[in-house]
Amino acid sequence: MSKPLDSTSTQKPIVAGVDGSTNNLPATMWAFAEGARSGLPVKLLTVTEQTEIRTPGFAKEPTSFNYVDYAYGSLEQVATRAGREYPDVEVSTDVIVDDALGGLVDKSSEASMVVVGKRGIGAIERMTLGSVSIALSGRSAVPTVVVPDDWDADVHRGQSILVGLDLHHDADPLLEFAFTRAQELGVPLVVLHVWDTHPAIVPGHEDLTRWSDEARAVVESKIAPWKAKFPEVDALAMAVHARTADGLLDEAAAAQLLVLGRHTRGHSPAGLGLRSVTRTVMHYGNLPIAVVPTVATD
């Protein structure tokens, strides 16, 4: 299996939320692949509100068992399975008694990244729209990656990384996150700004073309320092006129990872707001989505 985590290590681990279901395995494997790529350790974490489970009341011989002990056993099985493919990744396991969201948010302050499944069952409540994965992405102290249940990384190996760039927010955290991965994976990087405006102020096609060219020039200026820092990365600047979520989802169809920003000030306690573009893309997207904390520039 994977190497046990060295207790003297000062590196913040990649925290992978594990619920014990097979649906959750793609997220766990994504976290291990990231650990192998980056050299960071992986911590497998189960958050449970249950500490004791009892047999039905009608059972002739009622009994109970400690769920925390069971969860640790399940985590060891997951570590062993993932470790066969990634034997050099240092791994630790942890079980905490808390509500799913609160426990994951608290642990995010001790992590370099948090990785969770798009949906879950069991100890972590089923992650539907507006539930744990959405809320965690809006509140985590570090980048959060949400991985679909049916994601097969081997099928998408070699595909590009896509960054959705909001020109009103600090781009550097997203670009550092994306350029680093693109370089080490040896894949192209597409940096996309999707812009939209009301039809009433668009006189004609020429205006749309000119504004798209101007937006693309701004994107080019944003990524120029990063292209100089990562000259091996084939980075393309794009700007398209569309509804923001639609434009991102269209381009994401050919990507292995979508990187989006999340404003760190004034967020809702429930995480991403109902009108959030990031929330919409996470709901409809069928690829891993990394949500990176950023700050507004205006």
Side-chain angles (χ1 to χ4, degrees), residues 113 143 145 172-181 257 259 290 292:
M113 178 191 304
V145 182
D172 286 345
L174 282 76
L175 295 176
E176 180 177 16
F177 186 97
F179 267 91
T180 299
R181 280 149 189 79
L257 175 68
V259 183
V292 180

Side-chain angles (χ1 to χ4, degrees), residues 8 39-40 52 88 98 100 102 136 149 165 177 182 186 222 228 242 246 251:
T8 64
L40 291 172
E52 188 176 83
D88 294 328
D98 200 343
L136 176 64
D149 305 342
L165 198 63
F177 186 97
K222 294 280 189 181
D246 291 341
E251 292 299 326

